[in-house]
Amino acid sequence: CSDENHMHVADDLPRPSISPEPGTVIPLGSHVTFVCRGPVGVQTFRLEKDRRSTYNDTEDVSQPSPSESEARFRIDSVTEGNAGLYRCVYYKPPKWSDQSDFLELLVKGEDVTWAL
């Protein structure tokens, strides 16, 4: 039963982190940037949305420090459709990392019913 080993291909790769700029609550129509960080040597960062197969890949990876690399995914104008759960994963040859924790993005609409 050594098939189990295939589940843990990324044991030696640190999990990526995801953080939002400017924050997790974004007014409708404003912009948000998801920053994915991982170790040095990442070739591709992938931003996954929800648990569906929606994702963005980028090979535009920068190295802000000697020990880490990062990629930025910018949404210029958020809509209600952008709300949801996001997470990062990266490809460092020859394999993919585990996913980061989920980050929940909330979109704040104009129709705030409690503001009477």
Coordinates of all heavy atoms in Angstrom, one line a residue, residues 47-108:
L47 N -3.2 31.1 -7.8 CA -4.2 31.6 -6.9 C -5.5 30.8 -7.2 O -6.0 30.9 -8.3 CB -4.4 33.1 -7.1 CG -5.5 33.7 -6.2 CD1 -5.0 33.8 -4.8 CD2 -5.8 35.1 -6.7
E48 N -5.9 30.0 -6.2 CA -7.2 29.3 -6.4 C -8.3 30.0 -5.7 O -8.1 30.5 -4.6 CB -7.0 27.9 -5.8 CG -5.9 27.0 -6.4 CD -5.8 25.6 -5.8 OE1 -6.3 25.4 -4.7 OE2 -5.2 24.8 -6.5
K49 N -9.5 29.9 -6.3 CA -10.7 30.5 -5.7 C -11.7 29.4 -5.3 O -12.0 28.6 -6.1 CB -11.3 31.5 -6.6 CG -12.5 32.2 -6.0 CD -13.0 33.3 -6.9 CE -14.0 34.1 -6.1 NZ -15.3 33.4 -5.9
D50 N -12.2 29.5 -4.1 CA -13.1 28.6 -3.5 C -12.6 27.1 -3.7 O -11.4 26.9 -3.8 CB -14.5 28.7 -4.2 CG -15.1 30.1 -4.0 OD1 -14.9 30.6 -2.8 OD2 -15.7 30.7 -4.9
R51 N -13.5 26.2 -3.8 CA -13.0 24.8 -3.9 C -13.2 24.4 -5.4 O -13.0 23.2 -5.7 CB -13.7 23.9 -2.9 CG -13.3 24.2 -1.5 CD -14.0 23.3 -0.5 NE -13.4 23.4 0.8 CZ -13.6 24.3 1.6 NH1 -14.3 25.4 1.3 NH2 -13.0 24.3 2.8
R52 N -13.6 25.3 -6.2 CA -13.8 25.0 -7.6 C -12.5 25.0 -8.3 O -11.5 25.3 -7.7 CB -14.8 25.9 -8.2 CG -16.2 25.8 -7.6 CD -17.2 26.6 -8.5 NE -16.8 27.9 -8.7 CZ -17.0 28.9 -7.7 NH1 -17.6 28.6 -6.6 NH2 -16.7 30.1 -8.0
S53 N -12.6 24.8 -9.6 CA -11.3 24.8 -10.4 C -11.0 26.1 -11.0 O -10.4 26.2 -12.1 CB -11.5 23.7 -11.5 OG -12.7 24.0 -12.3
T54 N -11.4 27.2 -10.3 CA -11.1 28.6 -10.8 C -9.7 28.9 -10.3 O -9.5 28.9 -9.1 CB -12.1 29.6 -10.2 OG1 -13.4 29.1 -10.4 CG2 -12.0 30.9 -11.0
Y55 N -8.8 29.3 -11.2 CA -7.5 29.6 -10.7 C -6.7 30.5 -11.7 O -7.1 30.6 -12.9 CB -6.6 28.4 -10.3 CG -6.3 27.5 -11.5 CD1 -5.2 27.8 -12.4 CD2 -7.1 26.4 -11.8 CE1 -4.9 27.0 -13.4 CE2 -6.8 25.5 -12.8 CZ -5.7 25.9 -13.7 OH -5.4 25.0 -14.7
N56 N -5.8 31.2 -11.2 CA -4.8 32.0 -12.0 C -3.4 31.5 -11.8 O -3.1 31.3 -10.6 CB -4.9 33.5 -11.6 CG -6.1 34.2 -12.2 OD1 -6.4 34.0 -13.3 ND2 -6.7 35.1 -11.4
D57 N -2.7 31.4 -12.9 CA -1.3 31.1 -12.7 C -0.4 32.3 -13.1 O -0.8 33.0 -14.1 CB -0.9 29.9 -13.7 CG -1.2 28.6 -13.1 OD1 -1.8 28.5 -12.0 OD2 -1.0 27.5 -13.7
T58 N 0.7 32.5 -12.5 CA 1.6 33.5 -12.9 C 3.1 33.0 -12.8 O 3.4 32.3 -11.8 CB 1.4 34.8 -12.2 OG1 2.4 35.8 -12.7 CG2 1.8 34.7 -10.7
E59 N 3.9 33.4 -13.7 CA 5.3 33.1 -13.6 C 6.0 34.4 -13.3 O 7.3 34.4 -13.4 CB 5.8 32.4 -14.9 CG 5.2 31.0 -15.0 CD 5.9 30.2 -16.1 OE1 6.9 30.6 -16.7 OE2 5.4 29.1 -16.4
D60 N 5.3 35.4 -13.1 CA 5.9 36.7 -12.7 C 6.2 36.7 -11.2 O 5.4 37.2 -10.4 CB 4.9 37.8 -13.1 CG 5.4 39.2 -12.8 OD1 6.7 39.3 -12.5 OD2 4.7 40.2 -12.7
V61 N 7.3 36.0 -10.9 CA 7.6 35.8 -9.5 C 8.8 36.7 -9.1 O 9.8 36.8 -9.9 CB 8.1 34.4 -9.3 CG1 8.5 34.1 -7.8 CG2 6.9 33.4 -9.6
S62 N 8.6 37.5 -8.0 CA 9.7 38.3 -7.6 C 10.3 37.8 -6.3 O 9.8 36.9 -5.7 CB 9.2 39.8 -7.3 OG 8.3 39.8 -6.3
Q63 N 11.5 38.3 -6.0 CA 12.2 37.8 -4.8 C 12.5 39.0 -3.8 O 13.5 39.6 -3.9 CB 13.5 37.1 -5.2 CG 14.1 36.2 -4.1 CD 15.3 35.4 -4.6 OE1 15.2 34.8 -5.7 NE2 16.3 35.4 -3.9
P64 N 11.5 39.3 -2.9 CA 11.7 40.4 -2.0 C 12.8 40.2 -1.0 O 13.3 41.2 -0.5 CB 10.3 40.5 -1.4 CG 9.8 39.1 -1.4 CD 10.3 38.5 -2.7
S65 N 13.2 39.0 -0.7 CA 14.3 38.8 0.2 C 15.0 37.5 -0.2 O 14.5 36.8 -1.1 CB 13.7 38.6 1.6 OG 13.3 37.3 1.8
P66 N 16.2 37.3 0.3 CA 17.0 36.2 -0.1 C 16.4 34.8 0.2 O 16.8 33.8 -0.4 CB 18.3 36.3 0.7 CG 18.4 37.7 1.1 CD 17.0 38.2 1.2
S67 N 15.4 34.8 1.1 CA 14.8 33.5 1.5 C 13.4 33.3 1.0 O 12.8 32.2 1.3 CB 14.9 33.4 3.0 OG 14.1 34.4 3.6
E68 N 12.8 34.2 0.3 CA 11.5 34.0 -0.2 C 11.2 34.6 -1.5 O 11.9 35.5 -2.0 CB 10.5 34.6 0.9 CG 10.4 36.1 1.0 CD 9.3 36.6 1.9 OE1 8.6 35.8 2.5 OE2 9.2 37.8 2.0
S69 N 10.1 34.1 -2.2 CA 9.7 34.7 -3.4 C 8.2 34.9 -3.3 O 7.5 34.4 -2.4 CB 9.9 33.7 -4.6 OG 9.4 32.4 -4.3
E70 N 7.7 35.8 -4.1 CA 6.3 36.2 -4.0 C 5.7 36.5 -5.4 O 6.5 36.8 -6.3 CB 6.1 37.4 -3.1 CG 6.6 38.7 -3.6 CD 6.2 39.9 -2.7 OE1 6.1 39.7 -1.5 OE2 5.9 41.0 -3.3
A71 N 4.4 36.4 -5.5 CA 3.7 36.9 -6.7 C 2.5 37.6 -6.2 O 1.9 37.4 -5.1 CB 3.3 35.7 -7.5
R72 N 2.1 38.6 -7.1 CA 0.9 39.4 -6.8 C -0.2 39.2 -7.8 O 0.1 39.3 -9.0 CB 1.3 40.9 -6.7 CG 2.3 41.2 -5.6 CD 2.9 42.5 -5.6 NE 3.7 42.7 -4.4 CZ 3.1 43.3 -3.3 NH1 1.9 43.8 -3.3 NH2 3.9 43.5 -2.2
F73 N -1.4 39.0 -7.3 CA -2.6 38.9 -8.1 C -3.5 40.1 -7.8 O -4.0 40.1 -6.7 CB -3.3 37.6 -7.8 CG -2.5 36.3 -8.1 CD1 -1.6 35.8 -7.2 CD2 -2.5 35.7 -9.4 CE1 -0.9 34.6 -7.4 CE2 -1.8 34.6 -9.7 CZ -1.0 34.1 -8.7
R74 N -3.6 41.0 -8.8 CA -4.4 42.2 -8.5 C -5.8 42.1 -9.2 O -5.9 41.6 -10.4 CB -3.7 43.4 -9.1 CG -4.4 44.7 -8.8 CD -3.6 45.9 -9.3 NE -4.4 47.1 -9.5 CZ -4.4 48.1 -8.6 NH1 -3.6 48.1 -7.6 NH2 -5.2 49.1 -8.8
I75 N -6.8 42.5 -8.5 CA -8.1 42.6 -9.0 C -8.4 44.1 -9.0 O -8.4 44.7 -7.9 CB -9.2 41.9 -8.2 CG1 -8.9 40.4 -8.2 CG2 -10.6 42.1 -8.8 CD1 -9.8 39.6 -7.2
D76 N -8.6 44.7 -10.2 CA -8.7 46.2 -10.2 C -10.0 46.7 -9.7 O -10.1 47.7 -9.1 CB -8.5 46.6 -11.7 CG -7.1 46.6 -12.1 OD1 -6.2 46.9 -11.3 OD2 -6.8 46.3 -13.3
S77 N -11.1 46.0 -9.9 CA -12.4 46.4 -9.5 C -13.2 45.2 -9.0 O -13.7 44.4 -9.8 CB -13.1 47.1 -10.7 OG -14.4 47.5 -10.3
V78 N -13.3 45.1 -7.7 CA -13.9 43.9 -7.2 C -15.5 44.0 -7.4 O -16.0 45.0 -7.3 CB -13.6 43.6 -5.7 CG1 -12.1 43.4 -5.5 CG2 -14.2 44.7 -4.8
T79 N -16.1 42.8 -7.6 CA -17.5 42.7 -7.7 C -17.9 41.7 -6.7 O -17.1 41.0 -6.0 CB -17.9 42.2 -9.1 OG1 -17.4 40.8 -9.3 CG2 -17.4 43.0 -10.2
E80 N -19.2 41.5 -6.5 CA -19.7 40.5 -5.6 C -19.2 39.1 -5.9 O -18.9 38.3 -5.1 CB -21.3 40.4 -5.6 CG -21.9 41.4 -4.6 CD -22.4 42.7 -5.4 OE1 -22.0 42.8 -6.6 OE2 -23.1 43.4 -4.8
G81 N -18.9 38.9 -7.2 CA -18.4 37.6 -7.7 C -17.0 37.3 -7.2 O -16.6 36.2 -7.2
N82 N -16.3 38.4 -6.8 CA -14.9 38.1 -6.3 C -14.9 37.7 -4.9 O -13.9 37.3 -4.4 CB -14.1 39.4 -6.5 CG -13.9 39.8 -7.9 OD1 -14.2 40.9 -8.3 ND2 -13.4 38.9 -8.7
A83 N -16.0 37.9 -4.1 CA -16.0 37.5 -2.7 C -15.9 36.0 -2.7 O -16.3 35.2 -3.6 CB -17.4 37.9 -2.1
G84 N -15.3 35.5 -1.6 CA -15.1 34.0 -1.4 C -13.8 33.7 -0.8 O -13.1 34.5 -0.3
L85 N -13.5 32.4 -1.0 CA -12.3 31.9 -0.4 C -11.2 31.7 -1.4 O -11.4 31.2 -2.5 CB -12.6 30.5 0.2 CG -13.6 30.5 1.3 CD1 -14.0 29.0 1.7 CD2 -13.1 31.2 2.6
Y86 N -10.0 32.2 -1.0 CA -8.8 32.2 -1.9 C -7.7 31.4 -1.2 O -7.6 31.5 0.0 CB -8.3 33.6 -2.3 CG -9.3 34.3 -3.2 CD1 -10.4 35.0 -2.6 CD2 -9.1 34.3 -4.5 CE1 -11.2 35.7 -3.5 CE2 -9.9 35.1 -5.4 CZ -11.0 35.7 -4.8 OH -11.8 36.4 -5.7
R87 N -6.9 30.8 -2.0 CA -5.7 30.2 -1.4 C -4.6 30.1 -2.5 O -4.9 30.2 -3.7 CB -5.9 28.8 -0.8 CG -6.4 27.8 -1.7 CD -6.7 26.5 -1.0 NE -7.2 25.5 -1.9 CZ -7.6 24.3 -1.6 NH1 -7.6 23.9 -0.3 NH2 -8.0 23.4 -2.4
C88 N -3.4 30.0 -2.0 CA -2.2 29.9 -2.9 C -1.6 28.5 -2.9 O -1.7 27.8 -1.9 CB -1.1 30.9 -2.5 SG -1.5 32.6 -2.7
V89 N -1.0 28.2 -4.0 CA -0.2 27.0 -4.1 C 0.9 27.4 -5.1 O 0.8 28.3 -5.9 CB -1.1 25.8 -4.6 CG1 -1.7 26.1 -6.0 CG2 -0.3 24.5 -4.6
Y90 N 2.0 26.7 -5.1 CA 3.1 27.1 -6.0 C 3.8 25.8 -6.6 O 3.7 24.7 -6.0 CB 4.2 28.0 -5.3 CG 4.9 27.4 -4.2 CD1 6.0 26.5 -4.4 CD2 4.5 27.6 -2.8 CE1 6.7 26.0 -3.3 CE2 5.2 27.0 -1.8 CZ 6.3 26.2 -2.0 OH 7.0 25.7 -1.0
Y91 N 4.4 26.0 -7.7 CA 5.2 25.0 -8.3 C 6.6 25.3 -8.2 O 7.1 26.4 -8.7 CB 4.8 24.9 -9.8 CG 5.5 23.8 -10.6 CD1 5.2 22.5 -10.3 CD2 6.4 24.1 -11.5 CE1 5.9 21.5 -11.0 CE2 7.1 23.1 -12.2 CZ 6.8 21.8 -11.9 OH 7.5 20.8 -12.6
K92 N 7.3 24.5 -7.5 CA 8.8 24.6 -7.5 C 9.3 23.3 -8.1 O 9.2 22.2 -7.4 CB 9.3 24.8 -6.0 CG 10.8 24.9 -5.9 CD 11.2 25.2 -4.5 CE 12.7 25.2 -4.4 NZ 13.2 25.6 -3.1
P93 N 9.9 23.3 -9.3 CA 10.2 22.0 -9.9 C 11.0 21.1 -9.0 O 11.9 21.6 -8.3 CB 11.1 22.5 -11.1 CG 10.7 23.9 -11.3 CD 10.3 24.5 -10.0
P94 N 10.6 19.8 -9.0 CA 9.7 19.2 -9.9 C 8.3 19.0 -9.3 O 7.5 18.1 -9.8 CB 10.3 17.8 -10.1 CG 10.9 17.5 -8.8 CD 11.3 18.8 -8.1
K95 N 7.8 19.8 -8.4 CA 6.5 19.4 -7.8 C 5.8 20.6 -7.3 O 6.3 21.7 -7.1 CB 6.6 18.4 -6.7 CG 7.6 18.8 -5.6 CD 7.9 17.5 -4.8 CE 9.1 17.8 -3.8 NZ 9.5 16.6 -3.1
W96 N 4.5 20.4 -7.0 CA 3.6 21.4 -6.5 C 3.6 21.4 -4.9 O 3.8 20.3 -4.4 CB 2.2 21.2 -6.9 CG 2.0 21.6 -8.4 CD1 2.1 20.8 -9.5 CD2 1.6 22.9 -8.9 NE1 1.9 21.5 -10.6 CE2 1.6 22.8 -10.3 CE3 1.3 24.1 -8.2 CZ2 1.2 23.9 -11.1 CZ3 1.0 25.2 -9.0 CH2 1.0 25.1 -10.4
S97 N 3.4 22.5 -4.3 CA 3.4 22.6 -2.9 C 2.0 22.2 -2.4 O 1.1 22.1 -3.2 CB 3.7 24.0 -2.4 OG 2.7 24.9 -2.7
D98 N 1.9 22.2 -1.1 CA 0.5 22.1 -0.5 C -0.1 23.5 -0.6 O 0.6 24.5 -0.8 CB 0.6 21.7 1.0 CG 1.0 20.2 1.2 OD1 0.6 19.4 0.4 OD2 1.8 20.0 2.1
Q99 N -1.4 23.5 -0.4 CA -2.1 24.8 -0.4 C -1.9 25.6 0.8 O -1.7 25.0 1.9 CB -3.6 24.6 -0.7 CG -4.0 24.2 -2.1 CD -4.2 22.7 -2.2 OE1 -3.9 22.0 -1.3 NE2 -4.9 22.3 -3.2
S100 N -2.0 26.9 0.7 CA -2.0 27.8 1.9 C -3.4 27.6 2.6 O -4.3 27.0 2.1 CB -1.8 29.2 1.5 OG -3.0 29.7 0.8
D101 N -3.5 28.3 3.7 CA -4.8 28.4 4.4 C -5.7 29.2 3.5 O -5.2 30.0 2.7 CB -4.7 29.1 5.7 CG -3.9 28.2 6.7 OD1 -4.0 27.0 6.7 OD2 -3.2 28.8 7.6
F102 N -7.0 29.0 3.7 CA -8.0 29.8 2.9 C -8.0 31.2 3.5 O -7.9 31.4 4.7 CB -9.4 29.2 3.0 CG -9.7 28.2 2.0 CD1 -9.9 26.9 2.3 CD2 -9.7 28.6 0.6 CE1 -10.1 25.9 1.3 CE2 -10.0 27.6 -0.4 CZ -10.2 26.3 0.0
L103 N -8.2 32.2 2.6 CA -8.4 33.6 3.0 C -9.7 33.9 2.5 O -10.1 33.7 1.3 CB -7.3 34.4 2.3 CG -7.5 35.9 2.4 CD1 -7.0 36.4 3.8 CD2 -6.8 36.7 1.3
E104 N -10.6 34.5 3.4 CA -11.9 34.9 2.9 C -12.0 36.3 2.5 O -11.6 37.2 3.4 CB -13.0 34.6 4.0 CG -14.4 34.9 3.5 CD -15.5 34.4 4.4 OE1 -15.1 34.1 5.6 OE2 -16.6 34.4 4.0
L105 N -12.3 36.6 1.3 CA -12.5 38.0 0.9 C -14.0 38.4 0.9 O -14.8 37.7 0.5 CB -12.0 38.1 -0.6 CG -12.1 39.6 -1.1 CD1 -10.9 40.4 -0.5 CD2 -12.0 39.6 -2.6
L106 N -14.2 39.5 1.6 CA -15.6 40.0 1.8 C -15.7 41.3 0.9 O -14.8 42.1 0.9 CB -15.9 40.4 3.2 CG -15.8 39.2 4.2 CD1 -15.9 39.7 5.6 CD2 -16.9 38.2 3.9
V107 N -16.8 41.4 0.2 CA -17.0 42.6 -0.7 C -18.2 43.3 -0.1 O -19.2 42.8 0.2 CB -17.3 42.2 -2.1 CG1 -17.7 43.4 -3.0 CG2 -16.2 41.4 -2.7
K108 N -17.9 44.6 0.2 CA -18.8 45.5 0.9 C -19.6 46.3 -0.1 O -19.0 47.2 -0.8 CB -18.1 46.4 1.9 CG -18.9 46.9 3.0 CD -17.9 47.5 4.1 CE -17.0 48.6 3.5 NZ -16.1 49.1 4.4

